[in-house]
Amino acid sequence: MLILQAERDALLKPLLAVTGIVERRHTLPILSNVLIEKKGAEVGFLATDLEIQITTASTDALPGEDFRLTTSAKKLQDILRAIPDKATVTLEQQDGRLTLKAGKSRFNLQTLPAEDFPLLPVNGTSDAAFSLSQRELKRLIAQVQYAMAVQDIRYYLNGLLMQTEGNQVRLISTDGHRLAFSSAEVEANLPKAEVILPRKTVLELYKLLADSDDPINIEVLANQVRFSFGTTVIISKVVDGKFPDYNRVIPLDNDKIFLIERVTFLHALQRAAILANEKFRGVRLVLKPGAMSILCTNSEQEEAEEELEIGYSGGGLEIGFNINYLLDVLTNLPADTLQLAFGDGSRSALFTIPDNSDFKYIVMPMRI
């Protein structure tokens, strides 16, 4: 039975929005599938891994019968990608199979019953609700997401802390070696609340956000967070754990302070990193009045040295860092100028944007 006829992109674009969370191997085979549901002229796509659920819909009004089915997300995505642009795709369903036709191509896919597809239950009333532009949220996430831990045994670090209080929303991430903080004002008077968003949720959300002024609505529910924007809804469980108190690690008395051009510093570090030790990735910064030297060496006794002129008149300092931790913040921050504040060789460094309290980056030194 013919259930749908549409241009390729009307199906592929919403499908791509949800398939990023689909795992290849699952104990539940149906979780490798995408739920496709047509109601009236709207075709919706839903995927879940039981921790996060993404729903979106085609923005094109599509004629055809109402239906619900599930089929392999990966196979359907690969087939649609391989079909030429602007091609007309026909879907037919019969005897537990989905037949897809485009031009002289024909594909038969297995389906599983839609009623067996597990949906995340939406938990009651919200603890906090607010909205901001997609561009603003994308900027906030970009400024901190690189500092999330990856598969750390301290599972609460494998994500992002989101705090609300008054008219402030704050995002904080740390892997125990560095910490990134960003905040923004919203038009709301929010209760004091905090949740830890899983790493996968953060990365998928960032990928789907547009660089536009269109709003995204965020609701903090019991053990869940809901993000709604355009035709897309993301529901995510939150990480159960206690995030460390980030205020305790912000160094307040670093006295070796200067401004530096972000891009100049970034390019100098990128050049020096070519000869950094591949295992330890160490870089030494040597501070003296008017200049900062950047030094990298490796196990073959090779050495790179860069010197940058800076407006600094304080005392000398030599301090080591993991060069990747410096490259991460310089790559992901859009500011032209940064303020660096150092203490001594054993104290964390503080990176901020001049005259801006909405961003902080703290990085611990390493012994080289």
Side-chain angles (χ1 to χ4, degrees):
M1 158 177 103
L2 174 66
I3 54 173
L4 186 64
Q5 193 168 57
E7 197 173 284
R8 183 197 77 155
D9 282 359
L11 302 177
L12 182 58
K13 280 182 74 175
L15 181 64
L16 288 173
V18 304
T19 51
I21 62 168
V22 177
E23 303 286 353
R24 302 277 180 96
R25 293 184 179 85
H26 263 301
T27 47
L28 277 176
I30 201 165
L31 290 178
S32 299
N33 282 11
V34 59
L35 173 67
I36 308 173
E37 181 171 11
K38 186 171 188 303
K39 282 184 181 173
E42 184 176 278
V43 180
F45 296 78
L46 186 150
T48 183
D49 66 356
L50 299 182
E51 299 293 319
I52 174 176
Q53 175 177 297
I54 303 181
T55 315
T56 195
S58 173
T59 53
D60 298 341
L62 300 173
E65 301 287 323
D66 286 5
F67 67 87
R68 285 180 90 222
L69 61 84
T70 83
T71 193
S72 168
K74 176 75 171 63
K75 290 172 186 170
L76 182 59
Q77 174 187 302
D78 289 349
I79 290 168
L80 289 173
R81 271 184 162 157
I83 289 170
D85 289 353
K86 310 285 187 192
T88 298
V89 175
T90 301
L91 298 182
E92 297 175 1
Q93 185 185 20
Q94 198 163 14
D95 301 329
R97 285 182 173 270
L98 177 68
T99 301
L100 186 153
K101 298 176 183 173
K104 295 185 184 297
S105 303
R106 176 190 173 101
F107 306 88
N108 281 321
L109 292 170
Q110 290 280 12
T111 64
L112 288 170
E115 54 270 23
D116 294 345
F117 196 85
L119 301 175
L120 281 185
V122 179
N123 298 330
T125 54
S126 62
D127 296 336
F130 60 96
S131 66
L132 67 170
S133 74
Q134 291 187 46
R135 178 183 288 113
E136 180 74 349
L137 183 59
K138 197 174 179 86
R139 181 185 67 82
L140 290 175
I141 294 173
Q143 290 180 353
V144 298
Q145 50 87 18
Y146 52 87
M148 291 187 291
V150 182
Q151 295 181 331
D152 196 293
I153 193 167
R154 297 162 296 179
Y155 58 92
Y156 50 86
L157 298 185
N158 302 319
L160 197 65
L161 177 69
M162 183 171 74
Q163 283 186 333
T164 62
E165 186 177 10
N167 67 346
Q168 289 281 315
V169 176
R170 307 182 193 102
L171 299 183
I172 302 100
S173 63
T174 180
D175 60 7
H177 302 288
R178 40 50 183 291
L179 180 144
F181 165 101
S182 65
S183 69
E185 288 188 0
V186 293
E187 293 180 8
N189 185 19
L190 299 170
K192 192 169 183 177
E194 58 179 48
V195 288
I196 303 172
L197 303 174
R199 178 185 176 83
K200 188 174 181 180
T201 301
V202 174
L203 298 179
E204 281 302 314
L205 176 61
Y206 182 75
K207 194 169 75 178
L208 294 174
L209 287 171
D211 192 13
S212 77
D213 292 325
D214 294 340
I216 176 166
N217 300 310
I218 301 168
E219 285 181 90
V220 180
L221 308 163
N223 305 315
Q224 285 182 342
V225 179
R226 177 187 171 101
F227 302 91
S228 312
F229 51 104
T231 61
T232 302
V233 177
I234 300 175
I235 299 171
S236 172
K237 291 184 178 179
V238 299
V239 179
D240 185 20
K242 181 65 179 162
F243 205 81
D245 181 1
Y246 62 90
N247 286 305
R248 290 174 55 192
V249 304
I250 299 173
L252 301 174
D253 52 356
N254 285 0
D255 56 354
K256 297 175 174 62
I257 300 170
F258 59 93
L259 302 179
I260 193 165
E261 284 188 356
R262 179 185 67 88
V263 173
T264 303
F265 190 19
L266 173 61
H267 289 168
L269 283 169
Q270 286 172 333
R271 290 190 295 269
I274 296 166
L275 296 186
N277 184 295
E278 288 186 12
K279 185 177 180 184
F280 299 109
R281 303 296 289 161
V283 61
R284 278 181 297 141
L285 303 183
V286 181
L287 207 56
K288 60 187 178 187
M292 179 174 67
S293 297
I294 299 168
L295 303 162
C296 281
T297 58
N298 60 29
S299 53
E300 282 90 49
Q301 308 301 312
E302 296 168 329
E303 186 174 347
E305 181 175 355
E306 296 272 344
E307 186 166 298
L308 301 176
E309 291 183 9
I310 54 173
Y312 173 71
S313 56
L317 173 70
E318 183 169 335
I319 188 168
F321 294 102
N322 181 318
I323 197 166
N324 291 347
Y325 295 168
L326 304 186
L327 290 170
D328 281 344
V329 65
L330 296 172
T331 302
N332 287 284
L333 206 57
D336 294 331
T337 305
L338 292 182
Q339 177 175 289
L340 275 55
F342 296 103
D344 56 38
S346 61
R347 204 182 304 174
S348 294
L350 174 64
F351 289 56
T352 53
I353 300 170
D355 305 316
N356 182 339
S357 60
D358 291 341
F359 173 79
K360 296 178 181 70
Y361 182 70
I362 298 99
V363 56
M364 292 172 61
M366 68 183 283
R367 192 176 286 116
I368 300 176

